[in-house]
Amino acid sequence: MSKQNVQLFFEKLAQNIERPETELEYNNNFELLIAVMLSAQATDVSVNLATRKLFPVANTPQAILDLGEDGLKHYIKTIGLFNSKAKNVIKTCQDLLEKFKGEVPDNRADLESLAGVGRKTANVVLNTAFGQPTMAVDTHIFRVGNRTGLATGKTVLAVEKALLQRIPKAYLLDAHHYLILHGRYTCKARSPECGKCPVFTECMFKDKSVFVEK
């Protein structure tokens, strides 16, 4: 995709996506961190259903520790991989209290030192909580980047680096949410809605014509 088309790509996404923000529900940085940790290989809908019950009861590191691992599982058992996630959340809460005075750190190294927090989760927190221009590449963004020609790569990290180099500075802060929402609702995995796509003209998807509504 040419530099000019990349600019148009994001101009059009910005015109069509009024609220480029996460669909996870949270009220503070700690709730965001826990919600993102729970969202791995799970839908935002399933996470929100669980945290609507969890956060009114426990939304601080100490409160979740007071629940204990089994108590936490009671609230998140409807989310995939809840056993391992409960263990990681408990360990993360311990580390937040012991190493970071109960506060969510605002840098990658400290975030990635927490149990269950990898590069993608750290990028989401850095971007959404602290306004840093990071790019968290999930399955939607990986697909959109490769399918459209915006940023191609065989690995998540390769696509992340390519996106950070190609996205116009004016759109970099919100780019993660523009792309994830576009991938979730328009550029879907099995049935991309090319006929309704605002960036159809800029897209380089070779077989997109078969998806155009007649």
Side-chain angles (χ1 to χ4, degrees):
M1 190 181 295
S2 69
K3 185 175 182 179
Q4 180 180 6
N5 279 353
V6 172
Q7 178 70 29
L8 290 171
F9 187 96
F10 281 97
E11 286 180 3
K12 291 181 178 180
L13 286 186
Q15 291 168 3
N16 283 270
I17 299 175
E18 295 182 1
R19 300 176 63 184
E21 56 191 30
T22 181
E23 293 184 312
L24 291 171
E25 298 173 359
Y26 69 100
N27 292 301
N28 54 54
N29 291 350
F30 176 72
E31 287 187 1
L32 175 65
L33 172 62
I34 299 305
V36 177
M37 291 176 66
L38 295 177
S39 72
Q41 299 183 50
T43 65
D44 287 0
V45 171
S46 68
V47 173
N48 289 338
L49 288 173
T51 57
R52 284 171 194 165
K53 297 178 181 179
L54 171 64
F55 289 156
V57 175
N59 72 338
T60 67
Q62 187 60 61
I64 286 184
L65 284 180
D66 290 343
L67 284 179
E69 191 172 324
D70 289 337
L72 176 59
K73 287 180 183 179
H74 171 75
Y75 289 97
I76 67 171
K77 61 186 178 183
T78 55
I79 301 174
L81 306 175
F82 72 92
N83 284 312
S84 60
K85 289 177 180 178
K87 184 176 296 186
N88 284 333
V89 168
I90 291 295
K91 181 62 168 65
T92 283
C93 288
Q94 292 172 336
D95 286 346
L96 287 174
L97 289 169
E98 294 172 3
K99 301 178 182 179
F100 305 108
K101 299 180 180 179
E103 298 294 325
V104 176
D106 62 357
N107 65 86
R108 181 185 305 283
D110 286 342
L111 281 169
E112 291 188 12
S113 74
L114 300 171
V117 177
R119 186 178 183 86
K120 184 179 75 173
T121 296
N123 279 338
V124 173
V125 173
L126 291 172
N127 178 262
T128 305
F130 299 107
Q132 297 185 25
T134 56
M135 177 56 59
V137 179
D138 69 348
T139 182
H140 297 297
I141 295 178
F142 186 80
R143 178 177 67 254
V144 170
N146 278 288
R147 177 185 279 168
T148 64
L150 175 65
T152 59
K154 294 183 178 179
T155 67
V156 167
L157 184 58
V159 171
E160 176 188 332
K161 290 181 177 179
L163 286 170
L164 290 173
Q165 290 178 346
R166 306 206 71 195
I167 296 170
K169 186 176 181 179
Y171 298 102
L172 192 53
L173 184 60
D174 292 323
H176 165 73
H177 293 113
Y178 283 135
L179 293 175
I180 195 171
L181 292 171
H182 182 61
R184 184 173 291 167
Y185 296 111
T186 303
C187 195
K188 296 181 285 189
R190 295 185 178 180
S191 300
E193 297 184 2
C194 296
K196 301 177 181 178
C197 179
V199 292
F200 180 84
T201 303
E202 290 71 37
C203 177
M204 299 176 67
F205 184 32
K206 292 182 179 179
D207 299 318
K208 64 183 179 179
S209 61
V210 302
F211 293 103
V212 178
E213 294 184 351
K214 303 298 183 181

